[in-house]
Structure formats: C-alpha cells, structure tokens
Amino acid sequence: MTTPHDLDDRLRAELAALGAPDQRRDLGEPLPDGGALTGAQALALFDAQLTSRLLDLAGRWLSGFGEGYHTIESAGHEGDAAVAAALRPTDPALLHARSGAFYCLRAAQAVGAFPAPSPEPEPEPGETEAASLPAGAGIAVDADGDATVVVPDLPQPAPDDAFAAAARDVLRGIVASAEEPAAGGRAKVFGRADLAVVPTTSTAGAHLPRAVGLGLALERLRRGARASDGEAEAAQWPADAVVVCAFDDAAADHATATAALNTTGWYDHTGLRIPVLFVCADSGTSAEGWVAATLRARPGIRYFAADGTDVTATYRVAAEAAEWVRRQRRPAVLHLSAVRLMAHCDGDAARDPLLATARLLVTSGYAGGEELLARYDERGWQLRRVAEEVLDEPKLASPVEIVRELAPRRPVRVSRAVAEAAAHAAGPGAGARAEAFGGKPPELTGPLTLAQSINAALADGMLDHPGTAVFGHDVAARGGVYGVTEGLRDRFGAARVFDTLPDATSILGLGLGAGLAGLLPVPEIRHLTLLHGAEDQLRSEAATMRFLSRGAFRNPMVVRVPGLASPDGLGGHDRDDDSLGALRDVPGLVVAVPARPDDAAPMLRTCLAAARVDGSVCVFVEPIALYHVRDLYTDGDDEWAAEYAEPGTWADRHVPIGRARVYGIGSAEDLTIITFGNGVRMSLRAAATLAEEGVGSRVVDLRWLAPLPVADIIRESSATGRVLVVDETRRTGGVGEGVLSALVDTGYVGAARRVAALDSFVPLGPAARQVLVSAEAITQGARTLLAR
C-alpha cells in the first residue's frame, strides 16, 4: 500500500520535475484544448484537489499522536472536484466518505471563489452581468447581501480563503471539535446546510435511497405540491435543483444502492421524473468491467462516463450530464474511473489526479512546476497551523451536549399543534373537511374499528397538513393489504396518495427524501417482517439526520407498519412478527403501538404533530389482530369499537408521547398488569375473570414503546406492589425487559412476574397459540403472582 509519506514524496518530486511552461498564458483564457474551463478555473480545481490531499495527510499526522479520529481518505478521488464545478452550489449534494475535493470546491463556489460554470442564466434587473466581469472572475455575496467581484490569481493562497475555510471544517471533524459545522464533534462527515451538502453516514450506499426520495419530492414540489408549513424547514431548494449523490464502486454492489437505482428506473419507466445525478467513482475494486456493465444496464437511467483523473474530461462530461438532468428532470449516472490511494488497496500512483491537473496547468502555460510545488507547500503549512488551532477547540463534554439534537421533545408545542389543528378543523376548515368526508364526518358514523379510526385520522391529518403524503405498496389502488388507507387517493389525489414498489428500503428512502424536502411523509410498510430488511434506513439514515447536522437538516416521518401476530396464526412467519427490539434500540426513534380505536386517532395526530414540530421519526405499529375487532368480552358487545372524537375535543383528548393509559377493573388495588398491543385486550379479559374471583386489577396500556412511559409504570406499579408484565414480543429482547429494568432502576421493591411469548418465530395455524401470549396464560400468571 502506498504510504502517506511515499505519496507526498512522489507528488513533490513530480511537481518539481514539471519545470516551467514554454509560453505563459493569461488565467482568464480558456484551456487550449477548446474546453469549457479557463486557466483560473483549472487552477481553482487544483487548489481544491491539493487541499483535499493535504487534509488526508493531516488526518494521518493527527492520528499519529492520538488526536485524529476515524476518517476515510479521499486520495485518488480528487477528480470529483470537477463534478462539483459542473453543478450549482445550491444543488443538494449527498456525498460519500471520499468526496473531500468535491466538498472543498463546493465551499469555494458558495462564496464566489470559483467562477460559475457557463452557460449562466440571464441576470435579473439590477444584478451584475457576468459578461461585464474580468475573465475568470466570480461574484461573492456576504451575509448582508453585498456582492464583491472576485478575480482568481496565482499568488500564494491567502490564509483565510475559501479552501482554508473548507479545510477547517474537515479538520474539526477529524479532531472531533464541538465547533465542527455539521455534526458538532459527533462524527466525521461532509455536511453543511449553507453549502447544500447533506451529511451522510459512511455506510456504503445507504444514502442513495434518500437521494431518490429527495429528487422525487423536489419534482413534486416544483409541480405544485405544497411543503409542510412547520417551523425550521430543512432547506428551500431551487425549483430546477438537481440532486447529486456520490458513491464508489464498492457501494455499487450493496443492496441499498441496487434498490435505489432500481426504484429510480422504475419511476422513470412509469413516467414520473426524478432529477438525480448519481456519481460513481470506480477505483476498480470490483471485478473488471462489472460496475460499467451494471450501471449501463440500468433501465431509465442515462449513462455518462469519463476519466475521473482528468479534470477537463470530468468537467466536460459532468456539465453535460448535469445539464441533461436539469433540463429533462430525469435521472442519470456519471461513471468516473478513479484510483484509490492511501486506502484499502494499492492504486497506481502514476494515475494521481493531482499530477494530471498539475501537468495540465504547466503544459497549458498557466503555471510552472515550482510554483505549484510552492503552492502545495504553502497550503500544507497553512493546514498544519489550522490543525493546531482546532486542537485547542472544545470537545463535547457532557451527555446533554451529545444527545440534545438527537431527538428534541417539545411536548407543549406538539400539544399546541394538535389544538391548532382541532381549531382549524372545527372552524375555517370545516367546509373542506365535510366535503372530504362526503358530508358525513367520521364522528357521525358510529363506533369505529381500529382500522377505520386510523383511516379517518389519516384523512384529518392530510386536511390539516397540505404537505402530508401517504404512500407504499398498494396503499392507493387497494387501500393497503388490510384496507386501512382505502378511499384516501379518491379524496386527496394521486399526487398525495400513491403506490410504490414493494421494496421497504425504497419506500423508506422516499420518505427520507420527502422529509428532507419539507414534506410530511407517511409511508406504509405492509408487514413488520419486511421492515427488518430495511431497518438501517431508520437507524443509520433517519434517526441520525439531526444528530449529524446539529438540527440543520431533518427528515420528519411517520412510518405505519401492520405488525404483531394476526388472529389464529393466519399469517405464519411471513406476515406475523412480534419483534420490535431492533426499533426500540434506535436512539431517538418514537415507537407507538395503539391498541384501541379511541387511542389510535389521537396517537397518530401526536405523531404527525411531533414530526412536523420536532422533526421526529415515528414508527406507528398497528396490531393486525385488532384492525377489525369490535367486541371485547362477548360477541356483539361492541366494546372494542369507539366513537371518533369530533375536532372540538381533540385538544382535551391529546395523548402525549410517553404517556400510558390505565384501566381500573374492580377495586384496582390488588394487581397491576402492564402490557401493550394485543396484550391490552387479552389483559382486560383476564382482569374481568380475576374480578369474578375478587381480585381488583389496573391494566396499564403502555401505548408508547419508545420512549417508555416510565413515570406511569412506576406510579401504577407502586399503587399495588404486584406487577404482571404481559409481553407479546418474546422473553428475550422483548419490551418486558425494558419495563422490568425501569422498575429496578427506580427502586421498585414489590413483586413482579412476566408472561411473555416464547423465543420463537410465529408458526402457521393453531401452533401459534403454543408460543404466543393468551388471556388464559395471563390469568394463570396473575394467580401465581398473587399466591406468593
């Protein structure tokens, strides 16, 4: 493997050997090959490349004495600076871990230090015309809106130029400085809201589904869909923005990348436009020719290719690809050949992109080798000084600092948002609401089932938030596999209620992008079993967005998932799943499980409001077995159905995140049963049987599995001193473990027992009863506990 020392020595020697140009050319003149770049632009690209390379070296230097933390070098991928140059600084960019040169060039673009690519749009009245500026010049706009003409030159870099500012960002990330502008010391990422760079994790290809969703959402917004009017929108993207998504050849073979590219092509095939430019830097780590073959074969995605070590070729092809995507509003992939240096494999240092750009500058007459070497050395010492400065900056030093942007909870504002929705539905929006429900609102239709209540609450949510979009496999045409979304497309149109491919990764990716664009997505994953294959989109992508951007970006989302066991094991393992541990393990994720119709609607309203107000990511797990149940104790008693609350009562019936519901059966003094989901109905039936034996119970429906309603758990447990935890999500890793841990952590000293499902997948048919919780098992568990 090429060591940093070897790479540095080779580059310095090669630069020195380039000599002086045969004939000097003005920086404002175009390159002699007739390309679109001027000498000033080529020099700026070299600056971006050498800054990125020196950041790699600085990272290794810092790591050498324990001050540099996890980072992935960009060496060999610096040609992507030319891709940044071909785009606008307002085009949202989702970069990968080797996009250092792209980031440096984007920072220069944003302050006008890199001349904008031509052709430029016609200037508005009063703006400075680009044609009147000196050749190769640009316009920098400061915070007050004042414009300054910037003319690139060849003198040694100024200490505080745009590239140094970008380098400071990256160095802060390397040393985990709390001043780092993206994650604030929580991670090393490329991201800044004012540069339109969306931070991404280094999980290979995981950000591609989000890019697809953002592209689709931007095009829908451009065509007239309305964004949510919640506060602190993530970004206001230009109407003709192009989403650029960078990845490498290793990521191209990951399932998430395959899902994203497949979804993009499918949408294009169906006539829906997605303005996304995928950029794949191919270092040759896969089988020879494989990446090119697979990218070329993608239907609906136009293929472009260039030598990524040649900035002129890369810029020319990238500009063509970006213009095609911007004009056609259709997807394309730019396949760049690259080389990987200082990393997992030993690339050919003779193909070093910095050397290629340096040779271009010298042979074209813009600079001499010694001048470029001096530039390299000066920038190196400049970065060393910046590195020493950022070492003295504060690190994150308290748990509060670390988690404060993870998942902010503002329950008062959420409650206020629900009250405002109620006031609007009962007042100015009453007419539109009556029309949407065909003159018969749900509160006038009699007791509703769980499924009917969720359907009505979704409709009310879409009436209240014009940016709300409901989508998933068959949710529009068929109303979902259980009919929960039936009729919504007829009421709100195909732009807001639409079908997708069945792939859960792609569905969540659409939600991630839509939320980033300012919409309020409500995707449906048709079975909980399908969600498990896509959980990284929740863990690494959705839940980390605020964490990695200090709240500058967010992706509000309410994911609806039919889950838990269905009646009599009708679904078997394919459809019945009681595993929620992986969801509860994701920091900041809200997990809601409504059991009753009169809880489902207010809980869904809370989730929608929390997503809109706080940017929360909520998973709304709907018990399949309870969707269409109307009875509780005996056939025909209709005690599980419930009236839908009229808007005037929504504020009073608001259900805050993390608050349980308590039922008193008999004296309610002998036993506390803590449960959720299907366990609520079974526990109430068991409590009725116990009441006939003189035992008074209080049944606690957790409702929220993350965060758990700990205060309610402790209060209701202490009231009786005997706790029976009823957990349908298995003994190991189930919700019951969290409940018991909360009791122990808070010093509960009473008796406790657990009734839980076995550590088994759900079998088909009557066998399911052998592993799942039942009312009879709950009753017997209570008797055993009471007999102690």
Side-chain angles (χ1 to χ4, degrees):
M1 183 179 75
T2 304
T3 68
H5 181 75
D6 292 340
L7 194 63
D8 181 56
D9 283 350
R10 180 187 177 97
L11 180 60
R12 290 173 52 78
E14 292 277 1
L15 289 176
L18 288 176
D22 294 334
Q23 182 179 358
R24 283 281 182 175
R25 296 170 61 87
D26 185 270
L27 284 171
E29 296 181 39
L31 292 174
D33 66 356
L37 289 172
T38 65
Q41 290 174 319
L43 183 63
L45 287 171
F46 181 71
D47 273 342
Q49 291 179 310
L50 71 86
T51 302
S52 178
R53 175 65 56 81
L54 289 164
L55 284 168
D56 289 344
L57 298 176
R60 290 293 184 96
W61 173 68
L62 289 164
S63 297
F65 54 90
E67 291 289 352
Y69 303 101
H70 174 71
T71 184
I72 299 175
E73 290 88 2
S74 303
H77 285 225
E78 293 93 350
D80 66 1
V83 178
L87 293 157
R88 298 176 187 168
T90 52
D91 289 329
L94 289 78
L95 305 180
H96 70 107
R98 305 187 196 281
S99 298
F102 185 111
Y103 183 82
C104 291
L105 200 283
R106 171 61 66 91
Q109 279 182 314
V111 297
F114 181 83
S118 57
E120 282 292 301
E122 290 295 323
E124 295 293 331
E127 288 188 341
T128 305
E129 294 189 7
S132 68
L133 300 176
I139 301 174
V141 182
D142 63 21
D144 297 322
D146 297 326
T148 304
V149 176
V150 179
V151 183
D153 205 348
L154 191 60
Q156 301 307 320
D160 294 319
D161 67 10
F163 296 114
R168 187 178 295 273
D169 291 348
V170 177
L171 288 168
R172 282 171 163 164
I174 292 173
V175 303
S177 166
E179 301 298 322
E180 192 269 331
R186 297 172 180 85
K188 160 65 174 64
V189 295
F190 294 120
R192 271 188 73 153
D194 58 340
L195 300 182
V197 177
V198 181
T200 62
T201 66
S202 60
T203 306
H207 59 297
L208 270 71
R210 182 200 297 277
V212 178
L214 180 57
L216 182 62
L218 291 182
E219 190 61 11
R220 286 180 176 272
L221 289 170
R222 191 177 75 89
R223 292 173 178 268
R226 292 180 57 190
S228 167
D229 58 353
E231 59 185 2
E233 291 300 344
Q236 296 295 326
W237 313 108
D240 64 344
V242 167
V243 179
V244 59
C245 180
F247 62 107
D248 62 13
D249 48 329
D253 288 327
H254 279 249
T256 46
T258 299
L261 295 169
N262 184 67
T263 300
T264 306
W266 182 81
Y267 271 114
D268 191 81
H269 178 76
T270 61
L272 294 174
R273 299 300 183 231
I274 301 182
V276 177
L277 176 61
F278 297 103
V279 181
C280 178
D282 184 358
S283 303
T285 60
S286 189
E288 184 176 356
W290 168 250
V291 176
T294 189
L295 293 179
R296 283 180 182 275
R298 291 291 174 186
I301 304 177
R302 182 160 178 174
Y303 178 83
F304 295 85
D307 180 357
T309 65
D310 181 344
V311 291
T312 57
T314 299
Y315 177 81
R316 181 176 62 253
V317 178
E320 179 187 356
E323 179 59 24
W324 187 86
V325 174
R326 198 179 309 278
R327 185 177 64 253
Q328 298 292 331
R329 314 306 294 168
R330 296 179 64 190
V333 60
L334 173 58
H335 182 204
L336 298 177
S337 59
V339 60
R340 186 175 294 184
L341 306 172
M342 289 174 58
H344 303 299
C345 61
D346 192 8
D348 183 4
R351 295 185 61 223
D352 190 334
L354 269 69
L355 285 175
T357 307
R359 294 189 189 103
L360 173 69
L361 289 166
V362 174
T363 58
S364 300
Y366 298 113
E370 290 292 343
E371 296 170 84
L372 297 177
L373 177 57
R375 200 175 187 83
Y376 178 80
D377 285 341
E378 176 62 26
R379 182 58 53 79
W381 284 109
Q382 178 188 14
L383 264 60
R384 178 69 67 92
R385 291 192 295 271
V386 174
E388 291 171 348
E389 292 171 5
V390 301
L391 280 174
D392 293 330
E393 293 180 348
K395 305 286 196 295
L396 294 170
S398 73
V400 172
E401 285 184 284
I402 295 168
V403 304
R404 66 185 174 192
E405 287 298 347
L406 181 62
R409 299 271 184 261
R410 294 179 289 186
V412 174
R413 294 192 184 186
V414 171
S415 175
R416 187 183 307 146
V418 171
E420 290 170 354
H424 183 267
R433 185 170 184 266
E435 181 179 355
F437 284 110
K440 194 173 184 180
E443 59 268 24
L444 299 180
T445 59
L448 304 183
T449 63
L450 182 72
Q452 292 169 330
S453 183
I454 293 171
N455 179 282
L458 283 171
D460 272 323
M462 298 189 76
L463 287 166
D464 183 54
H465 308 307
T468 304
V470 174
F471 53 90
H473 184 49
D474 283 343
V475 302
R478 296 177 51 198
V481 67
Y482 299 103
V484 180
T485 57
E486 185 175 358
L488 293 181
R489 184 177 64 175
D490 294 338
R491 294 175 188 170
F492 299 101
R496 298 185 63 194
V497 182
F498 56 93
D499 290 329
T500 68
L501 288 170
D503 177 57
T505 295
S506 300
I507 293 171
L508 292 177
L510 295 179
L512 290 168
L516 189 61
L519 298 173
L520 186 55
V522 186
E524 177 183 293
I525 308 299
R526 66 187 305 177
H527 301 300
L528 184 57
T529 49
L530 300 178
L531 182 64
H532 296 315
E535 277 165 354
D536 191 59
Q537 290 293 294
L538 291 176
R539 177 195 174 276
S540 291
E541 299 300 310
T544 61
M545 179 50 69
R546 292 191 66 109
F547 189 73
L548 296 181
S549 68
R550 299 202 292 186
F553 292 103
R554 62 183 202 164
N555 38 224
M557 184 163 56
V558 180
V559 184
R560 293 183 43 256
V561 190
L564 306 176
S566 60
D568 298 319
L570 293 177
H573 171 257
D574 291 338
R575 296 194 178 188
D576 289 358
D577 187 23
D578 51 12
S579 178
L580 297 175
L583 295 176
R584 295 188 62 248
D585 185 56
V586 179
L589 201 69
V590 174
V591 181
V593 182
R596 292 184 61 102
D598 48 349
D599 276 337
M603 289 173 68
L604 184 55
R605 280 192 284 272
T606 298
C607 287
L608 292 171
R612 183 171 169 232
V613 171
D614 293 332
S616 299
V617 180
C618 306
V619 179
F620 200 76
V621 181
E622 301 164 4
I624 299 169
L626 301 178
Y627 264 147
H628 307 297
V629 170
R630 305 193 70 92
D631 306 323
L632 174 55
Y633 299 113
T634 60
D635 291 344
D637 67 18
D638 221 27
E639 290 196 32
W640 200 254
E643 302 286 342
Y644 190 82
E646 60 182 19
T649 65
W650 290 356
D652 294 334
R653 299 187 182 185
H654 171 59
V655 178
I657 292 174
R659 290 303 308 272
R661 177 173 179 171
V662 182
Y663 301 83
I665 308 297
S667 66
E669 295 178 351
D670 301 312
L671 174 68
T672 299
I673 302 176
I674 300 177
T675 188
F676 63 95
N678 293 315
V680 178
R681 183 168 178 265
M682 289 186 286
S683 294
L684 288 173
R685 297 174 74 156
T689 299
L690 293 169
E692 293 175 357
E693 301 171 7
V695 176
S697 307
R698 52 186 68 199
V699 176
V700 179
D701 178 3
L702 294 171
R703 299 195 292 196
W704 306 94
L705 304 189
L708 280 172
V710 174
D712 295 330
I713 290 171
I714 303 307
R715 184 187 64 250
E716 300 303 325
S717 299
S718 301
T720 65
R722 297 184 184 87
V723 175
L724 181 68
V725 180
V726 177
D727 180 8
E728 62 175 303
T729 60
R730 306 177 190 146
R731 297 191 65 82
T732 303
V735 176
E737 290 184 346
V739 173
L740 293 173
S741 295
L743 290 171
V744 172
D745 289 345
T746 54
Y748 172 75
V749 295
R753 185 178 174 83
R754 182 167 46 147
V755 175
L758 298 185
D759 291 343
S760 169
F761 299 108
V762 180
L764 186 65
R769 301 172 195 161
Q770 303 300 315
V771 299
L772 297 174
V773 172
S774 66
E776 292 77 15
I778 298 169
T779 305
Q780 186 56 47
R783 290 171 180 150
T784 302
L785 178 62
L786 291 165
R788 286 183 179 179

